[in-house]
Amino acid sequence: MANLASESVTAKLSRELEAVREQQQAISAVLRALARPAGLQPVLDTVVESCRRLCHADHGAMWLLQGELLASVAHDAGGEVATYDRQHPHAVDRTTAAGRTALTRKPVHIPDIQKDAEYAYPGPRPERSMLGVPMIFEEDLIGVVVVVRIEPEPFSDEEIALVQTFADQAAVAITNARLTEAVERQRTELARFLFEHHRNAVLHRIAETIGLADELLPGEHQLALAQRADEDLEQLGIDRRIESKQ
């Protein structure tokens, strides 16, 4: 009896250790995605794949809250399910796993959708078991991750807790990625604005120089600069044509 108890404890500790190892690997994958200068999408894809792998599901998907609807932003299954979800945002209600998870802000486990009276997803239904976990950052719902199994195989309490823990950490990573993407976009727009402003100012000065001292410029060079300045002046609303002297 003592040996059986010891073996049971050892097996439990081994499972817990393996779960922690898998979670660490999943977090590392998200951090690597964050480090790549490829924007937000790789982070979303990595979160979905990590959640799917952590609970040994067949497929996974993510919805982000946009206004009052859930928009599909990552889907590792592909095919008609992914296409339907992208074209049909989910309502925050109890008719879908994603909507129910967003509504309750708690993990939603549907062992078998065919036995769930409230489930009314109108799209393709290749799956039977579903698990939805919310992604919340500082009490704000960011979105939902849903993992599914093709066969009616319920998720264990350990798997649910593991995916929820990872989703909490993923919410922080997604928030940081969004902020980084917004800052980079603003920086790019500012750089473009400053470049255009500086370019216009330089061409305007060139045009003034040509108009005041065009005899100092060779013919072809003068004509090219004049045309460039002319085009820029037209953008500024100034109708002025400069002809090179023969």
Side-chain angles (χ1 to χ4, degrees):
M1 294 294 294
N3 288 337
L4 290 176
S6 177
E7 290 176 0
S8 177
V9 171
T10 300
K12 182 180 179 181
L13 290 175
S14 297
R15 289 195 302 270
E16 292 177 350
L17 180 61
E18 181 62 23
V20 170
R21 184 180 296 112
E22 289 180 350
Q23 187 173 1
Q24 290 177 339
Q25 292 173 347
I27 294 173
S28 297
V30 173
L31 291 176
R32 287 194 297 272
L34 280 170
R36 293 195 296 266
L40 180 60
Q41 191 59 49
V43 179
L44 306 181
D45 294 336
T46 302
V47 169
V48 169
E49 171 60 21
S50 297
C51 286
R52 183 200 64 76
R53 190 170 61 251
L54 282 173
C55 62
H56 310 288
D58 294 315
H59 301 297
M62 180 189 294
W63 285 261
L64 294 183
L65 185 64
Q66 296 181 0
E68 297 181 354
L69 296 174
L70 294 165
S72 175
V73 296
H75 213 304
D76 74 347
E80 59 179 1
V81 177
T83 299
Y84 184 90
D85 285 339
R86 282 194 295 269
Q87 296 174 350
H88 300 83
H90 285 11
V92 181
D93 59 23
R94 299 188 64 84
T95 61
T96 65
R100 197 179 305 180
T101 304
L103 182 67
T104 62
R105 295 193 171 203
K106 296 179 180 179
V108 168
H109 183 207
I110 304 178
D112 190 346
I113 62 172
Q114 293 185 7
K115 298 178 180 181
D116 189 296
E118 294 181 298
Y119 190 79
Y121 175 67
R125 297 188 183 187
E127 67 283 336
R128 291 288 295 275
S129 297
M130 307 185 76
L131 169 63
V133 291
M135 295 185 296
I136 298 174
F137 180 72
E138 295 183 350
E139 300 186 358
D140 291 330
L141 178 69
I142 295 175
V144 172
V145 173
V146 176
V147 289
V148 304
R149 287 174 176 161
I150 303 300
E151 300 298 327
E153 299 175 7
F155 294 87
S156 68
D157 291 340
E158 292 178 350
E159 290 171 331
I160 295 173
L162 185 60
V163 175
Q164 180 61 77
T165 299
F166 179 74
D168 292 338
Q169 297 167 339
V172 178
I174 291 173
T175 300
N176 290 337
R178 277 177 159 179
L179 290 173
T180 300
E181 190 175 62
V183 169
E184 289 299 325
R185 184 167 57 250
Q186 292 175 354
R187 183 180 299 171
T188 300
E189 292 174 354
L190 178 60
R192 185 182 298 114
F193 170 78
L194 292 176
F195 173 79
E196 291 296 332
H197 180 75
H198 180 69
R199 172 181 173 276
N200 291 344
V202 169
L203 290 179
H204 189 69
R205 286 197 295 271
I206 291 174
E208 290 180 341
T209 301
I210 294 172
L212 294 175
D214 51 1
E215 67 276 7
L216 299 178
L217 298 172
E220 292 184 0
H221 192 196
Q222 169 190 328
L223 182 58
L225 289 177
Q227 289 173 342
R228 289 175 59 189
D230 240 11
E231 291 172 359
D232 211 62
L233 288 172
E234 285 183 355
Q235 293 178 6
L236 296 174
I238 301 174
D239 186 12
R240 176 186 176 190
R241 292 290 177 182
I242 302 174
E243 298 180 356
S244 60
K245 294 184 178 180
Q246 301 298 327

